[in-house]
Amino acid sequence: MAQWTSAVGAAQLARLLNSQQDRPAGPGTRRPPAYRALADGVRLLVLEGRVPVAARLPAERELALSLSVSRTTVAAAYEALRAEGFLESRRGAGSWTAVPAGNPLPARGLEPLPPEALGSVIDLGTAALPAPEPWLTRAVQGALEELPPYAHTHGDYPAGLPILRSMIAERYTARGIPTMPEQIMVTTGAMGAIDAICHLFGGRGERIAVESPSYANILQLMREAGARLVPVAMAEGLGGWDVDRWRQVLRDAAPRIAYVVADFHNPTGALADDDQRRRLVDAARSAGTVLVADETMSELWLDEDVTMPRPVCGFDPAGSTVITVGSASKAFWAGMRIGWVRAAPDVIRSLVAARAYADLGTPVLEQLAVNWLFSTEGWAQAVDLRRAQARENRDALVTAVRRELPDWEFEVPRGGLTLWVRTGGLSGSRLAEAGERVGVRVPSGPRFGVDGAFEGYVRLPFTVGGAVAEEAAVRLAAAARLVESGASGGSESPRSFVA
């Protein structure tokens, strides 16, 4: 019986390998043999999660043809990977990826660091802050006081608690977007909302247009759903959305769904202006594409003089083009897994009907806690605290990175929770691997792209401040030195395989 659960084609693997672009080797640096560079490239792809564990690799002859190298080179690379525990083979079944005994499985998204590791590793992998106390405790206490009537019911509310749906609708109306409770469905976080939308509109094989880069966990969710991702490049820095390019992609590719984070984009931090939003909606409407607008960062402006644009759904008065996703997870606390969808009533009814085959509903107590926050001053005061904390962390991290890594390039966003950093020509994958060795966890750029893009980037979230931010920058600099010296992966040079 075969031991592999998926397969990677020769052309696909060649693209991934050739996307690993590092800084050219300096004078006197010895380039590794071709087989060694190939083995290191495959190993990095496995450690990054871009090639999953238990994925069948192409036959030696097929990969050799795709890479324009000899079959002997591929055979030697496969043998090296087997010796290191990253490849297993059996006659008649082929070869498939593995990880050595004792190594953790690579994360394919951005899973939080296990709590037991927090004492020794600085976690820059997850863009989430601790709960803004005392507001979490007060919200839970308020929810407990409101719980008894609901405890006498079955507890399943597929569309969400009516009281919370009404409250969310009122909040949209207060923002100038008239909304009825029938246009709201409460979900288990924003991920639950987008998963439901993808399954309703984007069945297996459907095209979904995404920003490039985009949020890693959402990209992985869409891949797992069987979607065909169509990347649309973001402008450099904080320039954001090239709407002419979007219009062309939507017209030519005709994707069923387009996913955008117009409010302090993850990972770049860009903020779409009113004109970009209007033109994006017009382009989606013209193409017959459903535009999913992720608003999870919309309340996280960090500079006092930021003027927030109109919500994306405000440019779709008929409600036929835009579906909005919101969440309490980023603005309040990631442990508060409450999200919501705002859409036309018929879309909400379809989402609710489909939910019977998924999770049935969102936990009642957490919904009551968020409703308590919305109906008191708790939400506003908690978000003010969150902004102040994120602003302080951002400023400390920016100062520390500029001091320790002056060759790294970035623009400072005016909101959100992330810094998108160009790493001076170093491989983001190798920096992530080296970072694990020196005690700092950082996600590399390719996690936020499609098919190996953004190898020269890392994402740094505003989750640490003060002395911890300074130490994080020191450890990142140590990781960069390991990559430059060629000591990050056990080979003689930091250069990746290029056919």
Side-chain angles (χ1 to χ4, degrees):
M1 182 176 179
Q3 303 297 306
W4 47 273
T5 57
S6 62
V8 181
Q12 179 187 5
L13 184 55
R15 283 198 307 273
L16 291 170
L17 288 165
N18 286 321
S19 73
Q20 298 174 329
Q21 297 174 358
D22 289 348
R23 174 181 294 169
T29 302
R30 190 154 54 100
R31 184 171 182 171
Y35 85 89
R36 182 69 262 173
L38 174 54
D40 287 346
V42 173
R43 177 177 50 79
L44 275 173
L45 291 173
V46 173
L47 290 172
E48 263 291 295
R50 287 189 282 150
V51 169
V53 174
R56 187 179 188 272
L57 295 186
E60 295 170 2
R61 187 185 303 277
E62 295 175 12
L63 186 57
L65 287 172
S66 291
L67 293 172
S68 299
V69 299
S70 71
R71 183 176 175 180
T72 301
T73 296
V74 177
Y78 278 16
E79 182 58 36
L81 289 167
R82 278 190 287 269
E84 295 161 7
F86 286 95
L87 195 69
E88 296 180 9
S89 304
R90 195 175 71 227
R91 185 178 297 276
S95 298
W96 56 92
T97 56
V99 291
N103 280 34
L105 288 174
R108 300 188 71 189
L110 299 178
E111 291 82 358
L113 190 70
E116 61 270 19
L118 290 175
S120 58
V121 178
I122 299 175
D123 186 10
L124 298 181
T126 305
L129 291 161
E133 289 288 26
W135 301 109
L136 174 62
T137 298
R138 293 182 183 178
V140 173
Q141 290 171 342
L144 287 171
E145 293 175 2
E146 300 294 329
L147 183 61
Y150 297 95
H152 294 292
T153 73
H154 50 62
D156 289 333
Y157 295 86
L161 294 183
I163 188 173
L164 181 56
R165 296 176 73 195
S166 295
M167 180 61 67
I168 294 170
E170 289 175 14
R171 286 172 60 83
Y172 276 106
T173 300
R175 294 168 67 189
I177 314 296
T179 303
M180 304 178 295
E182 292 79 9
Q183 292 177 261
I184 301 296
M185 181 177 83
V186 181
T187 62
T188 307
M191 292 287 288
I194 294 170
D195 182 58
I197 294 166
C198 287
H199 280 88
L200 180 63
F201 289 99
R204 185 165 294 274
E206 289 280 3
R207 294 184 179 92
I208 300 180
V210 295
E211 298 145 329
S212 183
S214 187
Y215 179 34
N217 285 342
I218 293 296
L219 294 180
Q220 189 58 35
L221 181 155
M222 292 173 175
R223 292 186 188 104
E224 296 290 346
R228 297 164 61 189
L229 301 184
V230 182
V232 186
M234 297 281 286
E236 286 292 321
L238 299 179
W241 295 259
D242 183 337
V243 182
D244 290 336
R245 184 177 295 166
W246 269 95
R247 188 177 297 278
Q248 179 180 352
V249 169
L250 295 181
R251 183 183 65 241
D252 295 347
R256 187 71 181 89
I257 302 174
Y259 170 77
V260 298
V261 186
D263 299 292
F264 306 118
H265 174 260
N266 185 354
T268 69
L271 176 65
D273 60 28
D274 281 326
D275 183 61
Q276 288 173 320
R277 294 168 190 240
R278 180 184 296 105
R279 294 174 64 205
L280 275 172
V281 173
D282 288 345
R285 184 183 298 114
S286 297
T289 297
V290 175
L291 183 63
V292 180
D294 186 333
E295 286 191 334
T296 54
M297 298 281 190
S298 64
E299 296 193 58
L300 289 176
W301 63 86
L302 303 184
D303 296 332
E304 296 297 334
D305 59 344
V306 172
T307 300
M308 289 301 296
R310 186 171 175 79
V312 174
C313 59
F315 299 99
D316 180 36
S320 59
T321 299
V322 177
I323 297 179
T324 302
V325 171
S327 172
S329 297
K330 295 297 185 183
F332 186 75
W333 183 46
M336 188 69 76
R337 305 302 306 161
I338 298 296
W340 52 87
V341 177
R342 180 197 181 276
D346 61 319
V347 172
I348 294 298
R349 287 193 293 270
S350 296
L351 289 170
V352 171
R355 196 172 194 180
Y357 307 102
D359 62 358
L360 293 179
T362 301
V364 170
L365 187 64
E366 283 87 339
Q367 291 187 71
L368 289 172
V370 170
N371 188 70
W372 183 91
L373 288 166
F374 284 161
S375 60
T376 66
E377 291 298 313
W379 180 264
Q381 295 189 43
V383 173
D384 281 345
L385 180 63
R386 170 67 75 238
R387 290 191 195 108
Q389 187 178 15
R391 183 187 310 116
E392 182 179 334
N393 288 355
R394 177 195 66 180
D395 296 346
L397 187 65
V398 165
T399 299
V401 171
R402 282 177 170 164
R403 181 182 65 246
E404 300 293 334
L405 293 150
D407 291 339
W408 288 18
E409 303 171 22
F410 53 86
E411 291 188 39
V412 181
R414 308 194 68 194
L417 290 172
T418 57
L419 197 66
W420 185 237
V421 182
R422 191 194 301 269
T423 56
L426 296 180
S427 161
S429 298
R430 283 176 165 76
L431 281 166
E433 185 184 10
E436 298 280 354
R437 298 174 59 188
V438 299
V440 60
R441 184 173 183 257
V442 57
S444 69
R447 289 178 180 267
F448 304 88
V450 177
D451 285 339
F454 307 111
E455 184 61 61
Y457 289 82
V458 294
R459 189 195 73 170
L460 305 180
F462 311 144
T463 52
V464 297
V468 180
E470 294 181 7
E471 178 61 22
V474 168
R475 295 186 187 187
L476 285 172
R481 288 192 294 271
L482 283 176
V483 173
E484 289 177 320
S485 70
S488 64
S491 64
E492 301 172 54
S493 165
R495 294 176 60 89
S496 56
F497 181 80
V498 179

